Amino acid sequence: MSDPIRPDEDLGPEDGKLITLARSARARNAAAEGAAVRDETGRTYVATTVALPALELTALQAAVAAAVSSGARNLEAAVVVTEAAEHAPVDLAVARDLATAAVVLVAPDGTPARVTRA
C-alpha cells in the first residue's frame, strides 16, 4: 500500500541516512535517480540509474542487485530519490522479492513524499 507521508511521520535516523546516501549518489553521478537500501543485518547499499545501450536498471534495481550479490536475503528499508510522483511498478516488484518492509519515495530536495509498506 502506497500512501503520502504525513508531516508528523518520523522515518527515523536510519532511514534519514538512506536518504542522504541516495541523494549524494544521485548528485555525484548526475543520475535521474539514486537509491539506498538497508539489509537485514544493517548493511547499506547505494546505486544510481544505469542507462547503457545494453543494460537499463532503475536505481533501486541496481541497489538491490548490489545487496543480493553481497548476500542479502531481506531488506528492512529502501529509499528512491527521484522526480517521479509515484513508485515505479518494477521498483515495488523488486522490493517485494526481498520482503522489503518499506520503500520511501523522496523528492530531490530530500523531502519524503510517499511510502509503501509491505
Side-chain angles (χ1 to χ4, degrees), residues 17-94:
K17 175 182 170 185
L18 293 180
I19 291 170
T20 299
L21 291 169
R23 288 184 71 213
S24 296
R26 180 179 181 267
R28 181 177 55 253
N29 293 342
E33 296 179 339
V37 300
R38 183 176 60 253
D39 73 11
E40 71 277 8
T41 66
R43 293 179 294 185
T44 57
Y45 305 88
V46 181
T48 59
T49 309
V50 176
L52 300 172
L55 178 65
E56 290 189 26
L57 298 172
T58 68
L60 186 57
Q61 286 176 313
V64 167
V68 169
S69 69
S70 295
R73 294 177 187 212
N74 299 94
L75 297 178
E76 291 179 350
V79 166
V80 179
V81 176
T82 181
E83 293 184 15
E86 296 285 334
H87 294 287
V90 68
D91 283 351
L92 295 178
V94 76

Side-chain angles (χ1 to χ4, degrees), residues 9 54 59-60 109:
E9 188 171 359
L60 186 57
D109 69 359

